[in-house]
Amino acid sequence: MGSSEVRDNVVIDFVEGRIAEQKVVDDKLFPKVLLPANDLQKEDVEAVVQSIRNKRAWLEDEVMKNNALIFRGFAVRSAADFKAVVEAFGWEEQQYIGFAPRTEIVNRVYTANESPLHQQIDFHHEMAVMKVWPSKLFFFCETAPPEGGQSAIVLSHLIPPLMEEVLPEFVKKVKDMGLLFKITTPSQPSNSLISKTWKTILGTNDPEEAKKRAADMMGCKHFECHADGTADFTFGLVKTIRTFEKGGREVWFNTIAGFGEENKNQSITLGDGSAIPVEAVKAFKQIMDEQCVDLKLEDGDVLLLNNLSVQHGRRPSKPPRRVLASVCK
């Protein structure tokens, strides 16, 4: 529970709630659910914004302790409302750089991955292969799907010890070598998980300038354009098992399974170029699915994730489903 404050005769507070999908991890419910403490928060987005501003320090502490927060039942009904909520936290915007199809709706607010809803998006940290990644990630459920489409989340610190139990030698190789990621972009915008052309991603038609931007903006190790209009982006050596805080727990930060089975324009190898064993990918996926929480987001839900400790994904769904996103430094 948050502690109450009285400002302008309005009780500013958040009430802890429960949902069926929560799991107890490390003696805490994951994710933590926050509900309105008064009718104003249910009716007026300005009351929500005021509550966040007044409780900003407490909320930041809560997301660091609990790694994921869901705000349910508040007066957040549009992209503009969502933008106001994001800005109330006071975190600086992180520029989104990536391969996924996204559309800017209002400043700081984008569609989440626009790939076809029947495609699964596997677990990942946002922009994890890039030179710089966000520390906080917001999602806003504008339209919940009639079936499927769960937003799946998993605590990344659970993965290294569980993988080590079944494949200790492989985990040692991952730690010692890191990974190489190769992503091939299409010649024309496509209807897939990796849909942007290199020209769109890098904002230039000049291959030499693109190569420079790929290195400077993304930390891309090798960039190559092809005559057919496609291009290869190679990232590595990517540190896969990381510790972000001194003395902190290890997290499995980069996937070994790719971002979706239907997307063939990607390859992941160990740092020496050798293939990742099939049994390692199988074990990784099984562990992720066993440890995850499949969230059935409702209209108006805002999900706030610590991007350094939580991986997220998307289950296939029937339309319509519309989720917006915002990333912060």
Side-chain angles (χ1 to χ4, degrees):
M1 301 283 183
S3 60
S4 299
E5 296 178 31
V6 178
R7 301 283 179 92
D8 300 326
N9 298 318
V10 177
V11 176
I12 305 299
D13 207 349
F14 294 92
V15 175
E16 187 171 352
R18 300 285 186 271
I19 57 174
E21 303 97 293
Q22 285 171 303
K23 288 185 177 181
V24 177
V25 183
D26 300 332
D27 298 321
K28 293 189 291 288
L29 285 169
F30 176 75
K32 184 166 185 171
V33 178
L34 297 177
L35 306 175
N38 56 65
D39 288 340
L40 269 177
Q41 293 171 321
K42 301 176 185 178
E43 299 164 0
D44 184 358
V45 72
E46 288 303 318
V48 182
V49 167
Q50 182 185 358
S51 298
I52 293 169
R53 286 175 179 162
N54 289 341
K55 289 295 198 180
R56 188 182 292 167
W58 179 76
L59 288 167
E60 184 158 6
D61 186 56
E62 287 299 298
V63 76
M64 295 306 294
K65 288 193 302 186
N66 297 280
N67 300 294
L69 303 178
I70 293 180
F71 297 82
R72 175 165 290 178
F74 294 89
V76 187
R77 300 183 179 92
S78 67
D81 292 345
F82 177 47
K83 175 180 183 289
V85 165
V86 170
E87 291 182 335
F89 281 85
W91 296 320
E92 188 177 349
E93 180 182 11
Q94 171 74 55
Q95 180 187 6
Y96 174 76
I97 303 171
F99 301 92
R102 292 175 184 257
T103 302
E104 186 175 17
I105 305 302
V106 296
N107 182 40
R108 297 196 67 163
V109 174
Y110 295 79
T111 55
N113 194 312
E114 293 179 9
S115 58
L117 293 177
H118 72 273
Q119 294 182 359
Q120 174 157 309
I121 300 174
D122 286 333
F123 291 103
H124 62 285
H125 288 276
E126 197 67 24
M127 296 169 55
V129 300
M130 299 296 169
K131 185 177 183 178
V132 179
W133 47 79
S135 68
K136 307 293 190 305
L137 177 60
F138 288 88
F139 290 107
F140 166 57
C141 182
E142 190 174 61
T143 304
E147 183 178 325
Q150 295 92 336
S151 295
I153 58 174
V154 63
L155 285 160
S156 296
H157 75 269
L158 301 176
I159 311 308
L162 292 171
M163 283 292 290
E164 211 156 20
E165 282 182 19
V166 291
L167 294 167
E169 292 183 6
F170 171 74
V171 173
K172 185 177 186 305
K173 286 183 179 181
V174 169
K175 287 183 177 181
D176 291 345
M177 297 183 189
L179 299 179
L180 285 171
F181 284 76
K182 182 180 176 182
I183 296 173
T184 301
T185 55
S187 58
Q188 299 292 330
S190 65
N191 196 24
S192 68
L193 291 169
I194 295 173
S195 67
K196 292 181 179 179
T197 67
W198 64 267
K199 297 175 183 179
T200 299
I201 293 168
L202 298 170
T204 179
N205 294 333
D206 177 42
E208 287 304 314
E209 177 63 20
K211 184 176 182 179
K212 182 178 183 300
R213 292 185 185 185
D216 292 346
M217 294 166 47
M218 307 172 80
C220 183
K221 178 183 179 181
H222 180 73
F223 172 80
E224 183 178 2
C225 294
H226 302 294
D228 63 358
T230 63
D232 294 332
F233 294 73
T234 303
F235 298 88
L237 299 167
V238 174
K239 190 173 181 180
T240 304
I241 299 174
R242 313 183 70 102
T243 302
F244 286 102
E245 297 180 9
K246 187 175 181 180
R249 294 176 296 196
E250 291 181 326
V251 297
W252 197 292
F253 198 65
N254 269 291
T255 181
I256 60 170
F259 303 109
E261 292 182 2
E262 295 188 38
N263 180 32
K264 307 302 181 184
N265 297 328
Q266 58 187 345
S267 69
I268 306 172
T269 65
L270 287 167
D272 63 355
S274 61
I276 294 174
V278 173
E279 62 267 26
V281 175
K282 183 177 179 181
F284 181 77
K285 288 186 173 184
Q286 181 177 339
I287 288 168
M288 299 292 275
D289 281 335
E290 288 173 350
Q291 298 301 318
C292 79
V293 174
D294 281 325
L295 294 172
K296 299 176 183 178
L297 294 183
E298 299 179 358
D299 289 357
D301 280 357
V302 173
L303 172 63
L304 170 56
L305 301 179
N306 180 349
N307 189 49
L308 305 184
S309 60
V310 179
Q311 293 197 39
H312 65 279
R314 185 193 75 187
R315 304 301 189 189
S317 78
K318 291 185 176 180
R321 178 187 188 273
R322 183 173 165 92
V323 174
L324 305 182
S326 185
V327 292
C328 303
K329 291 184 178 180

